[in-house]
Structures are given as C-alpha cells and as structure tokens.
Amino acid sequence: MTFPLDKFGSLPTPFFYYDMERLQATLEEANKQAERLGYHIHYALKANSNDKILRTMSRMGYGADCVSGNEIKKAAESGFPARSIFFAGVGKSDSEIITALEHNIGCFNCESIPEMEVINALAGRYGKKAHVAIRINPNVDAHTHHYITTGLEENKFGINAWELEEVITRLHHLSNLELKGLHFHIGSQITDLEIFKGLCLRVNEFQEWFYDHKIIADMINVGGGWGVDYQNPDRQYVPDFEAFFCLFKEFLHLRPKQSLHFELGRALVAQSGNLISRVLYVKNGVNTRFVILDAGMTELLRPALYQSFHKIENLSSSGEAEKYHVVGPVCESSDTFGKAVLLPPTRRGDLIAIRSTGAYGEVMSSQYNLRDKAPAYYSDDL
Ligand SMILES: *Cc1c(COP(=O)(O)O)cnc(C)c1O
C-alpha cells in the first residue's frame, strides 16, 4: 500500500487513515460473490461505525447487524433499510428492545428464553409482532483466541442444543413473537474454511431436528467471522469471498425458499484502515531498544486485549532492519504493539503505520488517561 506521505507530513498524529479505494474494492467483491449465490450480507457495525464507511455500505445495498440500540439508530440514520437490520447480543436492555421495535427491524437474534419473554412482553405493549431468530450454540470450536470464540457450550452466547425443545414449546405461548430464523455465529478471525465446513454440517443437523418438529425457518443466518491476513496486509487485501461463499453453497443445505444471511464485519473493513503514529522516543533497555509511539492502546486495543498481531512499518526510514519493541505511551505494560519488530533504523519523528486497523480499531478506542480522540482521514478527501 502506498501512503500519501506528502499529505501526512502536516497532520498531527496519531490518526486513522482509511483507503477508500481498498474499501470499495473489498465491498464490491463481497457483494458480487454473495449476489451470485443469492446470499445476503449484513455488515456488523461493531467492527467500524464511521459515518462515511456506513454510508458507503448502505449505498451498496448491505444490510446491518447491530449489537446495541445506538447501533440500530445509527444504521437507520445511515440509510440501511429497517428490514435489513438485525439485532444480536446476550444482554439487550428493555430500552434497546423498544428502540428496535420502534424501528421495525428485520429480526431479533435471541440468545435466551428470558430474553424472548421480555421481547414478547414489550412487543405486546407496543402492539407489534417481533420477528425473531434463535441463536443456537452449535458447539463448533473456532480455534481462535479464547476471547473471540463464541460457539462453544461453555460460553455466554446462544442457546444450547439441549434447550431447543423448551424454546419451541415456549414460543407457542409467546404470541407476539414470530420465529423467522435460525442464527449461528461461532467466532471471529477464522481463516480455516474447514471450521466453516464444520458449522455447515452442524446447521444441517439442526435443520433436520427443526424439520422433525415441523419448523422450517425462512432465514438461516451463519453470522460472521471470516478472517483477514494480518501478517501480509498487502498480499491479498481483498479476502477470498468466493471461496468463503462457495463453501456454504457446497455444504449447507437450504430448504426451498430459505434465504441465507451472513454478518460479516472484519473481512469487509480491516484491511482498509491504518493507524498512523510518530515516534516520540527511542529508548535503550537492557537487551532491547524501545520505540515509544504517540499512539497506544487507547487508539488500538487489540494487541493489549488479545495479544493480536498487527504489521508495523516505518514510513520515514529505510536501511538494514533492526529489532525494536514498539510500545505506546500509556502506563500499562500491555500497551505494546509488538516485540522484536524488524524496522529500519528508527528515530524520533519517524512516521509509523500500524496496519489492518479498519476493524475493531477506532471503534474500541478510549480516552483513558484523558487522551484526545484520534481523528480519521480518508484517502478520497485528503
Ligand atoms: C461480532 C459479530 C459479528 C461479526 O464478526 P466478524 O468476525 O467481524 O465478522 C457477526 N455476528 C455477531 C453475532 C457478532 O457478535
């Protein structure tokens, strides 16, 4: 990726930089591959909810996957059609459910029986019929970091297989709910298609079970989770959506008239974003040299939160690579972007790019230490 260094020179750091051509190319390819098979993509707003990015998505016909009342409001304001908005999350508050009902969203992805009872009661109070999907915990191990796996029985997400009998019995009595879908989401940053194949086979089994109980849901929703290449952000910056969607075509058996839905977040936006920072100091430790940046865990939390890897580049220097620990300024040892990172000789004032920050980057930023919020710049308006 080439950065407009002439334009960066005058900007205060740190800031987020979005390559809108990359974003456009990624969104077009995902759309093309999904449309070819008649599949629907609902963009998971939680990955990045910047206005400009949301407007690009809604203009291109994406649906929305929301995890809070404010995300629902934001999706509606950004032009996503109400019926394409889905609402997920284990802890939907009453006021968030009311927001969703007022917006007439397409579907509540329900994660427990008590939640269904609350949605039913509130829908009744507002004279509405709520469309719901049951989020089923398929017990598929996504083999990613344990903080980002969600499809195993011992975590807080979804409804377990052994509870389904009770769920459908309860649903008969919850007259303000209409069962529209079966929902699954097994985790995030999954790059091994075998894992999604495992999900397809589990979904087929669940479909059989529901069919035996005389239920054919209109929608099957297999969530998100398709990963990106953090090691080599430029090698194939558009993830292989063709392989991803074709796998579902091959292994997931839809019933006639059933629609298939995806809730992709990371794969759509990660590679378009970068965190740009300046070197404040280069400091010698005992065996290590530290590069201290003006960006930290307040701008990009992922390394501190899940030890995740982001490629780091020095945009100002060239020459033979040396090893540095690249750290932020915050008083936490976990405020570290990378250890033994190979960089050309690095000095105070050099511009550093931390790559692939378009997903779960800016949205997770905080003002801890009363730091300023880093602004965002876009390639097409610099
Ligand atoms: C976070 C989330 C997604 C998006 O996950 P990605 O890994 O970013 O694709 C989709 N669905 C649900 C229910 C989620 O919680």
Side-chain angles (χ1 to χ4, degrees):
M1 176 152 164
T2 48
F3 292 97
L5 292 181
D6 51 324
K7 307 221 164 95
F8 283 4
S10 57
L11 296 172
T13 46
F15 60 86
F16 292 94
Y17 173 71
Y18 293 97
D19 182 328
M20 297 307 278
E21 264 176 50
R22 270 196 179 201
L23 180 70
Q24 192 71 28
T26 308
L27 297 180
E28 278 173 13
E29 173 65 9
N31 240 356
K32 180 176 130 196
Q33 297 302 336
E35 268 173 17
R36 218 161 53 84
L37 298 168
Y39 298 162
H40 305 269
I41 310 176
H42 302 255
Y43 169 58
L45 265 76
K46 73 174 194 273
N48 186 314
S49 48
N50 285 8
D51 289 339
K52 192 166 162 118
I53 290 175
L54 293 186
R55 281 197 301 269
T56 307
M57 300 252 179
S58 68
R59 239 185 282 123
M60 292 180 70
Y62 280 84
D65 172 47
C66 298
V67 291
S68 72
N70 287 343
E71 282 192 1
I72 292 169
K73 289 179 196 164
K74 185 90 184 181
E77 282 161 19
S78 306
F80 291 90
R83 284 293 170 196
S84 82
I85 300 175
F86 292 173
F87 184 19
V90 281
K92 301 176 184 76
S93 72
D94 292 23
S95 75
E96 290 176 314
I97 292 168
I98 291 166
T99 297
L101 289 167
E102 284 170 348
H103 281 82
N104 294 313
I105 64 158
C107 197
F108 291 82
N109 294 337
C110 296
E111 308 222 7
S112 67
I113 294 174
E115 177 195 325
M116 286 179 196
E117 286 170 346
V118 171
I119 296 173
N120 182 66
L122 292 171
R125 193 190 302 166
Y126 286 80
K128 307 247 180 185
K129 191 128 188 150
H131 291 179
V132 300
I134 307 170
R135 176 168 179 180
I136 300 171
N137 195 335
N139 211 14
V140 170
D141 190 346
H143 298 291
T144 57
H145 191 280
H146 61 284
Y147 282 5
I148 53 177
T149 55
T150 60
L152 284 172
E153 264 169 22
E154 65 267 27
N155 73 50
K156 69 178 179 177
F157 297 101
I159 291 172
N160 295 310
W162 43 269
E163 297 172 283
L164 289 176
E165 196 87 52
E166 190 185 346
V167 167
I168 57 175
T169 311
R170 285 300 295 141
L171 272 173
H172 286 305
H173 302 284
L174 301 174
S175 58
N176 305 312
L177 302 186
E178 196 172 328
L179 179 63
K180 285 286 183 186
L182 306 181
H183 175 238
F184 305 84
H185 173 72
I186 52 173
S188 202
Q189 183 51 18
I190 302 164
T191 50
D192 180 358
L193 281 175
E194 279 297 307
I195 291 176
F196 287 107
K197 180 179 166 188
L199 171 64
C200 291
L201 303 180
R202 289 293 285 148
V203 173
N204 295 341
E205 289 171 17
F206 282 110
Q207 287 255 65
E208 285 296 322
W209 187 91
F210 277 92
Y211 192 71
D212 291 343
H213 291 74
K214 303 192 172 47
I215 295 170
I216 302 179
D218 294 350
M219 298 190 289
I220 299 297
N221 181 343
V222 288
W226 190 216
V228 300
D229 188 348
Y230 282 101
Q231 310 288 330
N232 303 288
D234 298 316
R235 191 162 61 190
Q236 188 191 5
Y237 72 81
V238 177
D240 192 347
F241 292 109
E242 184 175 9
F244 179 70
F245 290 122
C246 284
L247 179 105
F248 287 87
K249 175 76 189 161
E250 188 175 355
F251 294 104
L252 192 138
H253 304 311
L254 292 178
R255 310 271 164 177
K257 295 203 190 128
Q258 262 182 343
S259 56
L260 184 59
H261 299 253
F262 293 83
E263 301 166 338
L264 295 173
R266 187 189 312 271
L268 297 175
V269 291
Q271 300 293 30
S272 303
N274 304 274
L275 174 58
I276 309 296
S277 172
R278 272 196 184 83
V279 176
L280 290 174
Y281 303 103
V282 178
K283 170 177 164 173
N284 291 322
V286 185
N287 298 309
T288 357
R289 262 179 310 165
F290 292 95
V291 166
I292 302 168
L293 301 182
D294 63 6
M297 62 192 289
T298 39
E299 287 69 44
L300 181 66
L301 185 60
R302 298 186 70 253
L305 189 60
Y306 332 104
Q307 296 101 42
S308 47
F309 175 89
H310 285 264
K311 191 169 183 207
I312 301 171
E313 291 170 11
N314 186 329
L315 305 180
S316 310
S317 167
S318 57
E320 201 166 327
E322 299 167 13
K323 277 186 190 162
Y324 298 94
H325 278 19
V326 180
V327 302
V330 176
C331 305
E332 292 282 349
S333 297
S334 63
D335 186 26
T336 295
F337 290 119
K339 291 190 171 160
V341 179
L342 287 169
L343 293 174
T346 295
R347 286 171 290 265
R348 173 174 164 84
D350 285 356
L351 271 179
I352 301 289
I354 302 178
R355 308 292 312 276
S356 317
T357 63
Y360 308 106
E362 197 181 349
V363 278
M364 283 190 168
S365 63
S366 77
Q367 273 66 68
Y368 182 45
N369 290 191
L370 288 183
R371 282 166 60 79
D372 292 326
K373 177 166 176 14
Y377 298 105
Y378 301 86
S379 58
D380 58 353
D381 35 61
L382 263 188

